[in-house]
Amino acid sequence: MKHLLLLALLWSTTPVFAQITITNQSFPTVGDTLRLAIDNLPSNIPITPGGADLRWDFTSLQSPFTRQIVVRPTSESQHLERFPGANQFTPLSNESEAYYKKNNGSYQMLGLYGEDPFNFGIRVATRFNLPIIERRAPMKYHDENRSESAFTFAFSADDLPDAILDQLPITPDSIRVRIKTERFDKVDAWGKLTIPGDIYNVLREKRTEIREARLDAKIGFFGWQDITDLIPNSDMVGIDTTVSYHFFSNEVKEPIAVVTLDKQEAKAIRVEYKANDLVTDVQNVQPLKPGVYAFPNPAIVNVRFEFSNLNPGNYKLTIFSIIGTEVWSQRYYVNGHRIEKVDISSLRKGTYLYSLQDERGKTITTKRLVVVRP
């Protein structure tokens, strides 16, 4: 009986939960280099309900290269006056920059400078009316938060390409875009997450973001008129909902993983994750040059080709033997980002070359592909 009482006493004093609390020590700070990878064709990524002491296995993630983001002081910025209150910024691709304010309780994005959100090819300074909260501290299991933000930018209709103007029901002098976001966050799980190269103790935050984009036009002396409803079946405007899971740890500054779900919330369609030092042909590229990247490389049965930073148009991807004989080719239309999985099981093991040409036949890049067999 005494032994049973002793065991009961020990059990009652043992914590039921051992989840971590995310502190502000995990916030990026000036001088940090964040190393991230992206899998735009993820497979075998479990989408689990919330809960305590869970295990997630993301070791199937693959990426052809690592993106390095350096956190810089605002003294190095040429656009600081557009983002008062910012105390650090990060250069992004396409000569864009993200501006942040870091304090004890939150890590906030104040705005962006660079390409417009609709990829019209216009450079704008986008300052949010309320900062977007990227991270909070302390962050604990069961925390819930709601936030909202909005921004507006206007420009001359002459800056728009004809392909965009042709979609409009009128011929405006100026265009104004209004975007409003509402976000609901809940820390719904904790446990251990395994990604290529390491295992981390994490908190998982589920984010549901509702984004509404509206379009205004100005003609002559008339004021701004909302023309959103005059553009049927356009993916530029309207309401869109995105659900994602964010895995945070106190061990590193990067999010361990950010999993974006499909509209049915049934599977992952994109995973951004911390890039660990692995012995592979991963390339450290910043800024990422236009081209195509093959991975895994060496490959056995399937290889993914990821097209990046290419101008919209038609491209031909070809695989050659080492002596220059064409063994496979395919044409693709690329507008922004695209990733294709190719079956190479018919190729013998050995070294090949893959080459990308534009629609004029100009070779953009040629690289090596190694095929192995078990």
Side-chain angles (χ1 to χ4, degrees), residues 237-274:
V237 295
I239 298 177
D240 185 53
T241 300
T242 302
V243 176
S244 57
Y245 286 107
H246 297 243
F247 294 81
F248 296 108
S249 173
N250 284 320
E251 301 170 57
V252 296
K253 300 296 185 72
E254 300 94 337
I256 306 305
V258 177
V259 181
T260 303
L261 305 184
D262 63 2
K263 296 300 182 183
Q264 292 73 38
E265 300 182 33
K267 68 177 182 179
I269 58 174
R270 182 179 189 272
V271 180
E272 181 177 280
Y273 60 101
K274 174 176 169 49

Side-chain angles (χ1 to χ4, degrees), residues 2 74 92 99 128 192 196 205 221 300 338 341 369 371:
K2 291 182 179 179
T74 52
L92 306 176
Y99 287 80
F128 308 128
K192 291 185 180 295
E205 181 180 59
F221 296 102
I300 301 176
R338 180 166 182 163
K341 180 185 288 186
L369 172 67
V371 176

Side-chain angles (χ1 to χ4, degrees), residues 116-316:
D116 66 274
F118 286 129
N119 295 318
F120 290 152
I122 304 169
R123 300 194 69 77
V124 297
T126 303
R127 178 175 171 82
F128 308 128
N129 68 338
L130 294 171
I132 294 177
I133 308 299
E134 294 285 351
R135 308 190 197 181
R136 294 181 174 87
M139 178 186 290
K140 304 182 299 297
Y141 183 42
H142 292 313
D143 280 356
E144 295 187 36
N145 291 281
R146 176 188 174 277
S147 60
E148 60 182 34
S149 187
F151 65 88
T152 302
F153 65 93
F155 47 88
S156 169
D158 294 336
D159 295 330
L160 284 177
D162 292 339
I164 300 297
L165 286 173
D166 291 343
Q167 299 182 40
L168 302 180
I170 58 174
T171 304
D173 297 323
S174 301
I175 294 292
R176 184 175 69 182
V177 178
R178 293 177 287 123
I179 297 180
K180 177 183 177 181
T181 61
E182 186 175 17
R183 204 177 81 196
F184 301 90
D185 304 334
K186 180 177 181 178
V187 183
D188 70 338
W190 64 271
K192 291 185 180 295
L193 171 61
T194 304
I195 62 172
D198 215 336
I199 303 174
Y200 298 90
N201 295 310
V202 296
L203 286 182
R204 187 182 77 173
E205 181 180 59
K206 181 179 181 180
R207 293 184 178 179
T208 303
E209 182 176 280
I210 303 171
R211 178 178 182 268
E212 181 179 17
R214 302 198 68 82
L215 201 63
D216 300 330
K218 180 184 284 187
I219 303 176
F221 296 102
F222 297 98
W224 291 107
Q225 303 294 319
D226 190 331
I227 62 171
T228 306
D229 297 333
L230 301 180
I231 311 175
N233 303 319
S234 173
D235 56 3
M236 293 191 307
V237 295
I239 298 177
D240 185 53
T241 300
T242 302
V243 176
S244 57
Y245 286 107
H246 297 243
F247 294 81
F248 296 108
S249 173
N250 284 320
E251 301 170 57
V252 296
K253 300 296 185 72
E254 300 94 337
I256 306 305
V258 177
V259 181
T260 303
L261 305 184
D262 63 2
K263 296 300 182 183
Q264 292 73 38
E265 300 182 33
K267 68 177 182 179
I269 58 174
R270 182 179 189 272
V271 180
E272 181 177 280
Y273 60 101
K274 174 176 169 49
N276 291 305
D277 293 324
L278 301 177
V279 183
T280 67
D281 286 336
V282 171
Q283 303 178 46
N284 295 313
V285 183
Q286 185 176 349
L288 191 61
K289 296 180 180 179
V292 62
Y293 300 85
F295 64 105
N297 191 3
I300 301 176
V301 176
N302 295 301
V303 61
R304 302 180 187 185
F305 288 102
E306 184 162 342
F307 303 88
S308 296
N309 287 354
L310 294 169
N311 293 323
N314 294 299
Y315 295 87
K316 180 182 180 182

